[in-house]
Amino acid sequence: MGSFFIDLLSFEHEVAVFEKDPRRLRFTYNCLRFQQLEEIEAFRPELVINAVTVKYTIPAFEEVLPYLPKDCILSDIASVKTGLKEWYEQAGMAYVSTHPMFGPTFANLNQLHEENAIIITEGNYMGRCFFKDVYGRLGLNIYEYTFDEHDRTVAYSLSIPFVSTFVFAAVMKPQDAPGTTFKRHMRIAKGVLSEDDYLLQEILFNPYTHDQVAQIRTELKQLLEIIDEKDAEGMKQYLTKIRSNVLGR
C-alpha cells in the first residue's frame, strides 16, 4: 500500500519514501528515495503516511518522530487501530488515521468504486479533509468511525472471512478434478495466505475478534448436529436463515 500511495500522490505532491532496504525501492518512481533519517529532517514533510506492517506502526512513528517538523501531520493506514489513539495523544502532534479497506491481493486498483475506506473521526480536521479528497477522487465509498468503532467493524468484516478461509485451508486436500466452488475457495485461500503474517496475526489478535470467531464455532456446532441427525427440516430452516443473511430475503 505504500507503493500505491506513492503512485497516487506523486503527480500532484512532492513525495519522498523512506525505506531501510534499498531493494524495496527499485520499482518506485517520481519520488525522492531516502535511506537516512536525516534526509527526512531536511525534506520537512507536511504529512507522513506510515505504511509499515501493523506490528511496527508505532515503532516506525517513534523512529522518525525526532526528525519531523512540529507542524507535520502524522498518518497511519493500519488495519487494526488498537493502541494508536493513546499513542497519538501522547505524541502531541496533529494526526489523521484511515483504513483503505482493500489491497493489491483482491482489489482492482484501477476500478475502486466498489471498495470502501474508513476515516477515523478523531484527529486533525485538515488531515481528514485531505484523505476525504484523495479517497473521493478514487471513487471509494467513505465511512467515518471512531477508533473503537473501526476495530469492531474490522473484527467482523475481516476476521470472519479470514478464519473461514483458515478452516478451509486446514481441512482441504488437493483435487485432481476440483469443482467450481472448490476452485473459487482455493483462489480466495491463496490470496488470503499470501498476506503478510503479521497482518493476519494482528487482525486475529484484535480485541473484538474472539466473539466473532466464537460465533463461527456456535454455527458449526449447530450445523454438525443437523448433519448427524439427518434433520431435513432443520437443514431447510438453516438454509433459509443463511440465505436471508446473504440475499436479504
Side-chain angles (χ1 to χ4, degrees), residues 16 36 40 44 78 88 101 103 107 111-112 136 142 145 154 157 160 183 191-192 212 221 224-225 232:
Q36 304 298 323
I40 300 175
R44 295 189 60 81
Y88 278 133
M101 299 284 285
Q111 190 174 4
L112 294 172
I142 300 171
Y145 297 144
V154 167
S157 64
I160 287 181
K183 288 190 290 184
V192 169
Q212 300 296 338
K221 181 176 182 294
L224 190 59
E225 290 173 352

Side-chain angles (χ1 to χ4, degrees), residues 190-203:
K190 288 180 177 178
V192 169
L193 294 174
S194 71
E195 297 283 6
D196 181 88
D197 285 359
Y198 287 121
L199 170 64
L200 298 175
Q201 173 182 293
E202 292 301 323
I203 293 296

Side-chain angles (χ1 to χ4, degrees), residues 168 171-183 185-186 190:
F168 168 78
V171 302
M172 64 141 294
K173 296 179 181 179
Q175 301 290 311
D176 292 329
T180 301
T181 302
F182 185 94
K183 288 190 290 184
H185 277 286
M186 179 62 79
K190 288 180 177 178

Side-chain angles (χ1 to χ4, degrees), residues 97-117:
S97 184
T98 75
H99 183 190
M101 299 284 285
F102 60 89
T105 302
F106 293 116
N108 180 353
L109 297 182
N110 295 313
Q111 190 174 4
L112 294 172
H113 64 275
E114 294 183 357
E115 305 294 342
N116 304 315

